[in-house]
Amino acid sequence: MSLLSLLPKAWCQNNAENVPVTPKVEQQGLVKSLVAGRTIAAAAVAEGDSCEFGSLHYFALCGLGGILSCGITHTAVVPLDLVKCRIQVDPVKYKSVFNGFQVTLREDGARGLAKGWAPTFFGYSMQGLCKFGLYEVFKVFYTDLIGEENAFLYRTWLYLSASASAEFFADIALSPMEAAKVKIQTTPGFANTLREAWPRIMREEGVNGFYKSLVPLWMRQIPYTMMKFACFERTVELLYKYVVPKPRAECSKPEQLVVTFAAGYIAGVFCAIVSHPADTVVSKLNQEKGSTALEAAKKLGMAGLWKGLTPRIVMIGTLTALQWFIYDAFKVAMRMPRPPPPEMPESLKKKLEAQAQK
């Protein structure tokens, strides 16, 4: 058995010895192949596309789209994120969003609102690379494992599994920069820049200082990402089915991107609620040396765990919508394959019809 044969089928379509035999379908007089692991008809490299769905080139572009999507959006909302973190760790001083902005402007000036932008940009760019890139990888991989019929029937579980797997690795990439960001934003006098924060954390806490919040980060980000991807995928499906007055194929690219933005915002609201308590623990944990996640949670209390939820809903809702919009727009700009919402495989339709006739 060759090493290539162990890879997902969709990865191996460029290798003649490992190409799975795929059925052909006639569509408007053109012969098109079914891409392995997909429930839709599409050419291996469809006319007008820059790459083949499921190829290494495709996954690399998805990762690049993730870098742009997460890096740009998280950096853009640094001021709101800074105030949110300060409300979480010091609710006595920072009583509300508006009060938080007022206090920060009074003490640090306008430049103070940009504190932590560098670790935010680099950290979330690395996270975006893994989050979006590996999500596409795991989605194809798991589809190949369970087959296209099960992938359609249990597609919500497919989205949840693929996104959780991707986020596990994404948080390992994010954790060091997240630790530096929170220290800069919530610990007065600790550091003003990434260049100052990084060596100080290493000197005072060692490597553990960068990863001590990894477990609560997983607790925050994995549920968040599972909701982000599964809710988005199913919301897009429902919007085209019940809200958009015409099929996706008849919608223009700008119209499709509007649907993407709307689905992203809806997903973002649920993401913020699901992941907020863990987000508060992460902020508190990175602020205090030597504290554990359980100790931080006990100190915050049930009410404290939900402090800062309103600005986080606004931030994450907008953030998630923009991320999906940028990611999808990047796919359009790069002429990447953008499969429509999944459709029931013909083989499954025939099985259901046969059962109905019995």
Side-chain angles (χ1 to χ4, degrees):
M1 180 181 292
S2 68
L3 180 61
L4 282 173
S5 66
L6 298 176
L7 295 174
K9 293 177 184 177
W11 292 16
C12 304
Q13 291 179 354
N14 289 328
N15 188 300
E17 296 179 0
N18 294 283
V19 176
V21 177
T22 55
K24 303 282 186 178
V25 293
E26 294 290 339
Q27 184 174 341
Q28 296 179 348
L30 298 175
V31 178
K32 294 189 175 183
S33 299
L34 284 176
V35 176
R38 295 299 300 173
T39 59
I40 60 165
V45 181
E47 185 178 353
D49 286 348
S50 63
C51 60
E52 172 189 350
F53 177 85
S55 65
L56 293 178
H57 184 193
Y58 174 81
F59 292 136
L61 287 176
C62 288
L64 180 56
I67 289 174
L68 296 174
S69 172
C70 293
I72 292 171
T73 52
H74 277 277
T75 305
V77 295
V78 160
L80 184 58
D81 182 47
L82 179 142
V83 171
K84 181 267 299 179
C85 288
R86 289 182 172 181
I87 291 173
Q88 289 173 328
V89 301
D90 193 355
V92 175
K93 182 176 181 180
Y94 303 95
K95 298 177 176 61
S96 66
V97 178
F98 294 110
N99 176 257
F101 274 105
Q102 288 175 342
V103 173
T104 301
L105 285 169
R106 184 170 62 247
E107 293 183 350
D108 301 325
R111 292 185 63 182
L113 291 173
K115 276 189 173 182
W117 75 266
T120 297
F121 176 75
F122 292 115
Y124 282 93
S125 291
M126 291 186 289
Q127 187 211 36
L129 169 68
C130 299
K131 184 197 294 277
F132 283 91
L134 291 180
Y135 172 71
E136 301 285 0
V137 170
F138 282 116
K139 191 163 66 168
V140 171
F141 179 68
Y142 291 151
T143 296
D144 282 344
L145 284 180
I146 64 177
E148 66 172 4
E149 291 184 6
N150 286 326
F152 175 80
L153 290 172
Y154 305 105
R155 57 193 181 280
T156 300
W157 290 105
L158 173 67
Y159 304 146
L160 291 170
S161 301
S163 57
S165 301
E167 189 60 36
F168 177 85
F169 295 101
D171 290 341
I172 295 173
L174 169 65
S175 185
M177 291 296 176
E178 179 74 1
K181 176 187 80 76
V182 175
K183 280 286 190 182
I184 291 170
Q185 292 180 338
T186 64
T187 306
F190 182 82
N192 290 317
T193 66
L194 178 60
R195 289 194 304 272
E196 296 172 0
W198 189 276
R200 183 168 178 180
I201 293 173
M202 179 63 75
R203 184 172 61 252
E204 294 182 0
E205 301 181 60
V207 175
N208 182 60
F210 294 109
Y211 288 99
K212 68 178 183 179
S213 62
L214 180 58
V215 172
L217 196 61
W218 277 329
M219 292 169 60
R220 179 189 83 183
Q221 288 297 129
I222 290 178
Y224 163 85
T225 301
M226 292 170 72
M227 183 66 71
K228 174 179 180 174
F229 282 88
C231 186
F232 172 80
E233 298 266 22
R234 294 310 300 261
T235 301
V236 167
E237 192 176 328
L238 292 173
L239 287 176
Y240 279 114
K241 188 174 182 179
Y242 297 109
V243 179
V244 180
K246 54 186 176 181
R248 180 182 184 270
E250 297 177 12
C251 295
S252 65
K253 292 292 193 298
E255 288 172 336
Q256 292 176 12
L257 290 174
V258 169
V259 174
T260 296
F261 184 86
Y265 208 102
I266 293 169
V269 172
F270 288 102
C271 288
I273 296 170
V274 166
S275 61
H276 188 74
D279 179 67
T280 306
V281 171
V282 169
S283 296
K284 192 70 175 176
L285 199 58
N286 281 318
Q287 183 200 34
E288 299 180 351
K289 287 193 293 185
S291 181
T292 66
L294 188 59
E295 290 170 349
K298 286 181 178 179
K299 188 177 293 186
L300 287 163
M302 183 56 68
L305 288 172
W306 294 98
K307 284 284 185 181
L309 178 60
T310 300
R312 191 157 191 271
I313 286 177
V314 175
M315 184 183 80
I316 296 299
T318 306
L319 203 68
T320 305
L322 288 173
Q323 284 177 357
W324 278 114
F325 182 85
I326 292 171
Y327 183 64
D328 207 22
F330 176 81
K331 283 187 170 183
V332 171
M334 297 302 293
R335 297 184 295 108
M336 295 172 62
R338 297 169 61 246
E343 299 174 0
M344 184 179 293
E346 286 299 322
S347 59
L348 184 57
K349 288 181 181 178
K350 291 177 181 178
K351 287 181 181 179
L352 294 176
E353 289 172 359
Q355 289 177 1
Q357 291 173 359
K358 290 182 180 179

